[in-house]
């Protein structure tokens, strides 16, 4: 079985984003970029399935600028077999990403697509669901456990009330949650080997997909700073202050 894992190049999670002075977006100049953490988890799960003999090939796909090759090479160093870069300098919305991944899935015919539940830059949490709808495949979102059994996959999902397990008929879409696994670090020998692994370059035009944005960003602003707290000397003083704020017991 072949597994496709889409990955996204985002601002490193350790970096505090800065808003541009004109409020048109986030400043990406000289900012450290890395792989979306949820996508790292998805890659790790795909590699583990290959190590168990469930999967025969892991293909990683990224949609973005030429520098996204670095993200793909990281995935190859982790253990993926080959990569596809759909190169574009335009910002691609989740629906555009889902349409491009649909075309890739139609060409590659995978048994499973595993992707992060969301990207930490826009937090849309839409691509996996849209991809499942466009392909007409079953989906298991927010996965904390994935078990492939024959022509089906059992997905344990994180839901508000706890955990829910669903059985999906393959091919299927799975989106990874934080508790699915802990991604491995790429070793130096594997980083060197990754340079020789195949990386195909394509464009949205090659797939005949229109990625024109359907949304317009009006303004981007940093969240307001939190006000400092106030210490109180007693419970009675606390109660009085809560009453003044209109908070009832």
């Amino acid at each position: 079985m072949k597994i496709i894992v889409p990955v996204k190049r985002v601002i490193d999670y350790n970096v505090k984003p800065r808003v541009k002075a004109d409020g048109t977006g986030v400043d990406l100049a000289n900012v450290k970029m890395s792989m979306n953490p949820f996508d790292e988890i998805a890659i790790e799960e795909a590699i583990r399935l290959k190590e168990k003999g469930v999967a025969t090939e892991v293909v990683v796909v990224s949609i973005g600028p030429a520098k996204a090759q670095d993200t793909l090479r990281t995935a190859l160093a982790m253990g993926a077999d080959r990569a596809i870069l759909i190169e574009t300098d335009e910002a691609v919305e989740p629906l555009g990403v889902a349409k491009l991944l649909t075309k890739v899935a139609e060409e590659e015919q995978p048994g499973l697509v595993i992707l992060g539940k969301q990207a930490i830059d826009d937090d849309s949490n839409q691509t996996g669901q849209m991809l499942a709808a466009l392909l007409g495949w079953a989906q298991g979102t927010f996965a904390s456990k994935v078990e492939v059994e024959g022509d089906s996959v059992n997905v344990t999902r994180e839901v508000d009330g706890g955990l829910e397990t669903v059985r999906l008929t393959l091919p299927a879409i799975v989106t990874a949650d934080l508790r699915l696994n802990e991604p491995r670090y790429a070793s130096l020998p594997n980083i060197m080997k990754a340079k020789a692994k195949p990386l195909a370059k394509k464009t949205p035009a090659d797939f005949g997909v229109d990625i024109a944005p359907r949304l317009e960003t009006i303004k981007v602003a940093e969240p307001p700073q939190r006000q400092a707290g106030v210490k109180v000397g007693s419970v009675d003083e606390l109660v009085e202050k809560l009453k003044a704020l209109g908070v009832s017991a």
Side-chain angles (χ1 to χ4, degrees):
M1 179 178 69
K2 182 188 298 183
I3 300 177
I4 287 180
V5 184
V7 298
K8 187 177 184 181
R9 178 176 179 263
V10 299
I11 295 177
D12 189 271
Y13 66 90
N14 289 311
V15 175
K16 182 180 178 181
R18 301 188 307 271
V19 175
K20 293 180 180 177
D22 59 3
T24 57
V26 176
D27 188 1
L28 300 179
N30 301 316
V31 174
K32 181 183 178 182
M33 308 292 284
S34 62
M35 187 189 305
N36 179 47
F38 290 102
D39 297 342
E40 278 190 293
I41 294 169
I43 291 170
E44 175 66 27
E45 192 64 22
I47 294 169
R48 290 186 185 188
L49 289 172
K50 183 184 175 184
E51 290 172 344
K52 292 177 182 177
V54 174
T56 55
E57 185 180 29
V58 177
V59 183
V60 287
V61 183
S62 189
I63 301 165
K67 291 182 178 179
Q69 291 182 69
D70 296 337
T71 304
L72 289 171
R73 292 294 181 195
T74 299
L76 293 172
M78 288 176 67
D81 298 293
R82 59 186 174 93
I84 300 172
L85 172 62
I86 304 176
E87 191 172 340
T88 176
D89 291 325
E90 303 296 325
V92 187
E93 295 172 356
L95 180 58
V97 173
K99 287 181 177 179
L100 287 169
L101 293 177
T102 298
K103 295 296 184 180
V104 173
E106 289 172 350
E107 284 189 2
E108 296 287 341
Q109 293 295 307
L112 195 61
V113 178
I114 307 177
L115 62 164
K117 70 171 184 178
Q118 64 194 67
I120 62 171
D121 54 358
D122 58 16
D123 277 337
S124 290
N125 182 19
Q126 296 175 339
T127 304
Q129 293 88 330
M130 289 178 171
L131 179 60
L134 291 171
L135 287 170
W137 291 3
Q139 60 177 305
T141 55
F142 317 125
S144 61
K145 188 176 182 181
V146 176
E147 296 176 303
V148 177
E149 297 180 356
D151 60 353
S152 65
V153 56
N154 294 331
V155 179
T156 301
R157 305 179 59 236
E158 303 264 349
V159 296
D160 291 341
L163 299 175
E164 175 189 58
T165 301
V166 294
R167 174 170 289 180
L168 314 175
T169 301
L170 298 175
I173 309 293
V174 174
T175 69
D177 211 334
L178 282 173
R179 279 162 287 280
L180 181 57
N181 60 54
E182 184 172 339
R184 69 193 67 189
Y185 289 101
S187 64
L188 183 58
N190 286 340
I191 291 173
M192 300 305 294
K193 291 177 183 177
K195 295 179 180 180
K197 290 184 178 181
L199 192 159
K201 295 182 182 179
K202 297 190 177 185
T203 66
D206 293 335
F207 296 101
V209 174
D210 178 17
I211 59 170
R214 289 168 168 77
L215 304 174
E216 179 184 356
T217 301
I218 305 300
K219 183 180 180 181
V220 177
E222 292 187 7
Q225 291 187 348
R226 292 183 61 180
Q227 298 295 321
V230 178
K231 289 186 178 180
V232 295
S234 65
V235 174
D236 291 338
E237 186 181 351
L238 173 62
V239 171
E240 290 302 319
K241 285 188 176 293
L242 291 175
K243 285 181 178 179
L245 294 171
V247 179
S248 59

